[in-house]
Amino acid sequence: MTLSIRNQIPGTVTAVTPGAVMATVKVRLDGGQDLTAAITLEAVKDLGLTEGTAVRAMMKSTEVALATGRVEGLSIRNQLPGTVSDVATGGAMAVVKITVGGGQLTAAITKDAVGDLGLAAGSPVVALIKSTEVSLATVRPARDAPVRR
């Protein structure tokens, strides 16, 4: 399956905390950062998520906000430090590529925000992502794929 979601970072589930309808799933990204996803209990069961499950954390580029440093007093759980690798601006919007440990993120923000934050290649940034905007996917071998032992 091919998806339009640019941001897909591999990781491993470290904890699942169920609630009445939703669950929080903690994921250790391959680069060592921790990420929290808030997904339905039904999704947790359908995906078979338990500690140790390999996943891809996915988020739309429009759901990635940027700051020039960590932000205190904020409900957003996911704050991933990184470095701007590229900025492409258009008339109103910009696409900012950020290298984070274990992967690459893309943020779609306004051109004005790029200017106000002084973003350019090499700039340190923190990617801010609400846990409710993080989707998880598991990779399962195809049914006909040979089993390697």
Side-chain angles (χ1 to χ4, degrees):
M1 175 188 314
T2 303
L3 298 173
S4 65
I5 296 176
R6 296 180 191 188
N7 298 318
Q8 299 185 28
I9 302 177
T12 304
V13 173
T14 58
V16 178
T17 305
V21 176
M22 300 285 288
T24 56
V25 180
K26 303 277 187 188
V27 175
R28 172 77 37 90
L29 301 177
D30 284 0
Q33 309 92 326
D34 291 318
L35 188 75
T36 300
I39 63 175
T40 65
L41 280 176
E42 183 178 2
V44 169
K45 291 176 186 170
D46 288 349
L47 293 170
L49 298 180
T50 60
E51 188 175 326
T53 303
V55 295
R56 284 198 165 275
M58 302 182 296
M59 64 284 312
K60 292 173 57 176
S61 60
T62 53
E63 300 303 332
V64 178
L66 299 177
T68 55
R70 283 195 59 82
V71 182
E72 298 298 323
L74 190 65
S75 67
I76 296 176
R77 299 291 82 195
N78 300 308
Q79 297 193 30
L80 303 177
T83 304
V84 173
S85 58
D86 187 51
V87 178
T89 57
M93 297 296 292
V95 173
V96 181
K97 293 187 179 183
I98 306 109
T99 301
V100 296
Q104 181 96 352
L105 284 175
T106 300
I109 63 175
T110 65
K111 181 180 172 183
D112 290 344
V114 169
D116 290 348
L117 296 173
L119 299 181
S123 299
V125 292
V126 175
L128 307 167
I129 309 151
K130 290 179 65 171
S131 59
T132 53
E133 300 302 331
V134 177
S135 297
L136 298 175
T138 55
V139 179
R140 298 178 193 217
R143 288 185 202 189
D144 298 330
V147 176
R148 296 182 185 202
R149 298 184 196 267

